[in-house]
Amino acid sequence: MLEELLRGFTKNKSEPLDESLMEKQGRLSRSLIHATLAHRHLAERQFFVQQVAYWITIFGLLVAEASAPILDSASMWTWLTVSVVTWLIRVALFWPLTQLPPAVVKKSLGLKLIPIVIIVIACFYWIWTIHLFVGPVLTVRVLIMCIGLLSISVSMTGMWPVTPIAVVLYNVLLWGAFSANLYSNGVASLSVIVALDMGVLAVLWLNIFIAVRQLNDLLARTHEASQLVNQLEIANDKLERLKDTAYKTLDTRSEFFAGASHDFQQRLHAAKLWVLSAMAATKTNQSAESTLDRLGQEIDALQIYINNILEFARIEALDAGVKIRATEIQSLFQKLDLHFEKIAERDGVQLRFRIARITVGTDASMLLRMLENLVSNALKYTKNGVLVCARRTSRGASIEIWDQGPGIKLEARQRIFDAFHQEEVDDQGRSKGVGLGLAIVKRFATRLNYRIEVKSVMGQGTLFRILIPREFVIGPGTIENSR
């Protein structure tokens, strides 16, 4: 059961898409627009060439209309106004594609459809213009329009590597409308129009499959170079972050060992003073029993301190593997009761455990060590008693340690988990702890993906909660796993 829970907790929730579907979607996306930096530069150049061809054609039609007008003044100004307005709209639509990063364009269907919108606007404009200027007689105006449309089509085919669909749609609609008007107005016979369309198609084919196809190789190499540059930038960013983390870790280790060295020297100095006091008592034939007893307490405390230092260093070095197995919380409570029974009696403190019929998937040794530190911490500071219990919650399980100590200030409730941090708690402003117990609890909780919650009322007591996620709360069993 636990293995299934762990597999469900760690597996990727998103199922892979069918590869053929993904490939089809990729081809459709690329046919709309190729969003890379190299393709964007190509599109910008070709768009500029199109605008030059566009305005040359417009001015050619203006000159032809001025020499032999076929439109009245109102129609002429309407056509010119529409020419300018549609041109401004197309430029405004194209502008975001030149400013946004290619990654943003790839993710947005709306941005990918912009070339199609531009093409539709341009085609409607040219179909209307062809209808206005192509009459029943072959004139210079028609020739200018034919040359202008051809130049615009050639510049448009330069967009083939960027947006193939737009190129095909533009040329089919443009030359279809032009050919239809030539035929309907009797300007040319069907065979001449077919020959004209075949000639245009040949020019466009030569432009696409010779010049543009050669350009594709260059675009591919440019794209590969851009990807390599991007990968290099990402790698540099990772290296910078790793360097910063290494510096922070080095600073933390330096502070850790500086604090450990200072604390260790103080404890050795205290032990040395008790040795000197015992020696002085023996020289004056005084009883040294109380002094030696205090020396023994100092040595015991020093041993605990060294063990904490070594364990904390081992945790920080990440050599403590996590072995997950089904563990009954009640069995941990029984070990804690046996361990702290005499200590509670010696200090005159009542230590109570409520029966907990909860099984969790955890590293038993780590969770037991966390509880030992929290219970030991509670026994040091409580006035009357300590209560240890566990209960199920909507989010999993909660193991709680209640004490009746002086409480913890609000601003210190996160600081107490720092290594060597000690709050002044007794009447003389001294601390009863080493400053590593809660730091070890925090490290183990992080390793086990648990949360530690602290609630405290000044003068009444403190509650520590170990919050175990729901996916680790299981039924009875002894299934083992490790991670």
Side-chain angles (χ1 to χ4, degrees), residues 5 71 74 146 189 213 249 277 315 319 329 386 430 471:
L5 287 171
L71 300 177
C146 182
S189 63
R213 294 283 296 198
T249 303
S277 179
I315 297 169
D319 64 352
I329 293 179
V386 173
R430 296 172 301 181
E471 56 265 25

Side-chain angles (χ1 to χ4, degrees), residues 214-480:
Q214 292 176 354
L215 185 61
N216 273 334
D217 296 334
L218 178 60
L219 288 173
R221 288 194 295 269
T222 305
H223 179 54
E224 291 175 0
S226 298
Q227 287 183 322
L228 291 175
V229 171
N230 291 335
Q231 292 174 3
L232 182 61
E233 291 177 351
I234 293 172
N236 287 336
D237 290 340
K238 288 182 178 179
L239 287 175
E240 287 294 329
R241 289 195 295 271
L242 289 174
K243 184 180 71 173
D244 292 341
T245 302
Y247 281 136
K248 290 178 181 177
T249 303
L250 182 60
D251 291 340
T252 303
R253 297 293 183 273
S254 299
E255 293 177 2
F256 173 81
F257 285 111
S261 176
H262 176 73
D263 232 17
F264 189 69
Q265 290 177 6
Q266 280 189 328
R267 294 174 184 275
L268 282 179
H269 182 67
K272 183 178 180 181
L273 290 177
W274 288 113
V275 170
L276 294 176
S277 179
M279 292 174 60
T282 55
K283 289 181 180 178
T284 57
N285 296 323
Q286 295 179 0
S287 175
E289 183 177 354
S290 62
T291 305
L292 292 174
D293 182 62
R294 186 58 187 272
L295 175 61
Q297 294 178 14
E298 288 290 342
I299 293 175
D300 289 340
L302 183 60
Q303 183 181 10
I304 294 173
Y305 178 78
I306 292 174
N307 289 337
N308 284 333
I309 288 286
L310 294 176
E311 184 171 13
F312 187 82
R314 181 170 62 89
I315 297 169
E316 291 292 285
L318 300 177
D319 64 352
V322 179
K323 296 181 179 179
I324 301 295
R325 59 171 57 87
T327 303
E328 295 180 355
I329 293 179
Q330 183 60 31
S331 66
L332 302 181
F333 284 2
Q334 291 173 353
K335 294 179 181 179
L336 292 170
D337 193 12
L338 291 174
H339 180 74
F340 289 104
E341 182 180 8
K342 292 184 179 179
I343 298 175
E345 290 179 359
R346 182 194 66 192
D347 295 339
V349 175
Q350 184 180 13
L351 176 61
R352 293 186 299 153
F353 291 87
R354 286 185 181 173
I355 296 176
R357 295 183 176 87
I358 302 174
T359 303
V360 296
T362 187
D363 187 302
S365 60
M366 283 190 179
L367 182 55
L368 180 62
R369 184 69 175 122
M370 292 169 64
L371 293 172
E372 285 177 349
N373 287 355
L374 290 173
V375 172
S376 174
N377 195 65
L379 289 173
K380 288 176 185 176
Y381 299 123
T382 192
K383 297 175 183 177
N384 299 316
V386 173
L387 171 65
V388 182
C389 60
R391 61 187 179 88
R392 292 181 182 271
T393 67
S394 60
R395 296 184 178 180
S398 171
I399 304 178
E400 302 175 353
I401 297 90
W402 300 73
D403 68 51
Q404 296 174 312
I408 303 172
K409 297 177 183 178
L410 181 61
E411 61 271 16
R413 291 178 193 174
Q414 291 301 321
R415 199 166 58 236
I416 57 176
F417 293 103
D418 295 338
F420 300 108
H421 177 79
Q422 302 178 55
E423 293 288 317
E424 296 178 353
V425 295
D426 61 10
D427 297 336
Q428 289 75 35
R430 296 172 301 181
S431 173
K432 298 180 180 180
V434 174
L436 284 176
L438 293 180
I440 292 174
V441 170
K442 183 67 174 178
R443 275 16 177 229
F444 278 152
T446 301
R447 196 70 60 80
L448 292 169
N449 292 325
Y450 296 169
R451 286 195 306 113
I452 303 296
E453 187 179 88
V454 183
K455 292 187 176 181
S456 185
V457 178
M458 297 303 296
Q460 297 185 25
T462 301
L463 163 64
F464 282 89
R465 283 196 181 104
I466 300 176
L467 301 176
I468 302 175
R470 182 168 49 193
E471 56 265 25
F472 292 109
V473 180
I474 60 175
T478 57
I479 301 174
E480 296 186 6

Side-chain angles (χ1 to χ4, degrees), residues 123-279:
C123 286
F124 275 117
Y125 166 77
W126 282 116
I127 290 171
W128 178 59
T129 300
I130 291 168
H131 178 74
L132 287 177
F133 289 100
V134 175
V137 181
L138 181 62
T139 62
V140 176
R141 187 181 293 99
V142 175
L143 294 177
I144 291 174
M145 184 172 291
C146 182
I147 295 171
L149 293 180
L150 182 59
S151 63
I152 294 173
S153 295
V154 169
S155 62
M156 185 61 200
T157 56
M159 288 277 196
W160 182 273
V162 182
T163 171
I165 285 182
V167 172
V168 173
L169 180 63
Y170 185 82
N171 286 298
V172 168
L173 291 177
L174 193 66
W175 288 100
F178 186 69
S179 300
N181 272 271
L182 291 179
Y183 182 75
S184 62
N185 287 296
V187 177
S189 63
L190 183 61
S191 59
V192 172
I193 293 173
V194 171
L196 173 65
D197 289 340
M198 293 301 295
V200 170
L201 182 62
V203 171
L204 299 183
W205 182 85
L206 289 173
N207 190 54
I208 291 176
F209 292 98
I210 296 180
V212 176
R213 294 283 296 198
Q214 292 176 354
L215 185 61
N216 273 334
D217 296 334
L218 178 60
L219 288 173
R221 288 194 295 269
T222 305
H223 179 54
E224 291 175 0
S226 298
Q227 287 183 322
L228 291 175
V229 171
N230 291 335
Q231 292 174 3
L232 182 61
E233 291 177 351
I234 293 172
N236 287 336
D237 290 340
K238 288 182 178 179
L239 287 175
E240 287 294 329
R241 289 195 295 271
L242 289 174
K243 184 180 71 173
D244 292 341
T245 302
Y247 281 136
K248 290 178 181 177
T249 303
L250 182 60
D251 291 340
T252 303
R253 297 293 183 273
S254 299
E255 293 177 2
F256 173 81
F257 285 111
S261 176
H262 176 73
D263 232 17
F264 189 69
Q265 290 177 6
Q266 280 189 328
R267 294 174 184 275
L268 282 179
H269 182 67
K272 183 178 180 181
L273 290 177
W274 288 113
V275 170
L276 294 176
S277 179
M279 292 174 60

